[in-house]
Amino acid sequence: MKIWFDILTPKQVLFFEPMVKHLQKSNEIFCTARNYREVTDLAKIRKMKIMMIGKHGGSLKVDKLNASLKRTLLLTDKIQRFRPDLTISFCSPEAARVSFGLGIRHIAFCDSPHAEAVMRLSVPLIQKLLIPWIIPKNEFTKYGISAKNIIQYKAIDASVIIRYNDYNISSNPKKKKTFSLD
């Protein structure tokens, strides 16, 4: 399987690192990010191969919009050539738009239902949304995703990041929760 990760923040680098390392053992992985110094530096430290595409738009809405539109165009070209079977992101609006436009299934994680602009731009276009169990599903259904497509997991994202340093990926968790994209 070919999987595209769109990783936008330093937190996401740390959150997705164990997934990328585990999945790259039996899948072809392509990671992208915006050109953002902290992400670039952290990816180098963690030895993650991430292609920088586009940039953050800054504080002005018009600059954010233009940067997002440019990044979407650049990603469309790269992702069309990579031809992934699946996209994984942390509710990246550009990943959602490109995946939707190219017909690629998209799984997203989120712990920030209060980020209204990002939620409105990404949540209606994804197939499955994974959220910490502590956040009610109705915090996300208001953005256009059915509750049956929201999967709650028993962790707080920050704890997942912290625990990874001591976590052995080859160990077997006591109970695995699986789901279908259908």
Side-chain angles (χ1 to χ4, degrees), residues 19-175:
M19 259 182 263
V20 169
K21 287 186 176 185
H22 180 72
L23 290 171
Q24 70 187 6
K25 293 176 184 176
S26 57
N27 300 280
E28 190 175 346
I29 305 295
F30 181 54
C31 297
T32 59
R34 293 183 295 217
N35 193 1
Y36 179 48
R37 190 190 66 197
E38 286 81 0
V39 171
T40 305
D41 292 349
L42 185 57
K44 285 178 187 174
I45 291 167
R46 305 303 293 185
K47 296 181 173 66
M48 286 183 70
K49 184 180 174 186
I50 300 178
M51 179 178 282
M52 299 300 155
I53 299 176
K55 63 180 184 175
H56 188 277
S59 60
L60 297 177
K61 286 185 179 185
V62 69
D63 293 338
K64 285 180 189 278
L65 175 60
N66 283 322
S68 179
L69 292 170
K70 288 175 188 173
R71 185 166 191 265
T72 301
L73 285 171
L74 293 168
L75 283 169
T76 300
D77 182 54
K78 294 285 185 195
I79 299 309
Q80 191 171 19
R81 281 191 262 135
F82 179 63
R83 301 174 55 109
D85 303 296
L86 179 66
T87 299
I88 300 175
S89 79
F90 217 90
C91 282
S92 161
E94 294 86 15
R97 179 64 186 104
V98 171
S99 296
F100 179 80
L102 297 177
I104 303 163
R105 296 174 299 160
H106 187 178
I107 296 172
F109 289 81
C110 191
D111 64 354
S112 306
H114 58 277
E116 185 177 353
V118 171
M119 296 301 98
R120 291 176 69 192
L121 292 168
S122 60
V123 169
L125 301 178
I126 61 177
Q127 281 67 58
K128 297 290 179 186
L129 178 64
L130 285 79
I131 65 171
W133 92 105
I134 198 87
I135 303 173
K137 289 182 179 184
N138 67 359
E139 290 292 318
F140 294 95
T141 57
K142 63 186 176 187
Y143 295 115
I145 188 168
S146 169
K148 70 181 173 84
N149 290 321
I150 301 173
I151 299 162
Q152 293 174 302
Y153 55 89
K154 273 282 206 190
I156 302 296
D157 296 348
S159 72
V160 171
I161 293 166
I162 293 167
R163 277 189 43 213
Y164 176 65
N165 289 325
D166 296 325
Y167 183 70
N168 179 353
I169 290 177
S170 65
S171 68
N172 291 325
K174 290 178 185 170
K175 183 179 177 186

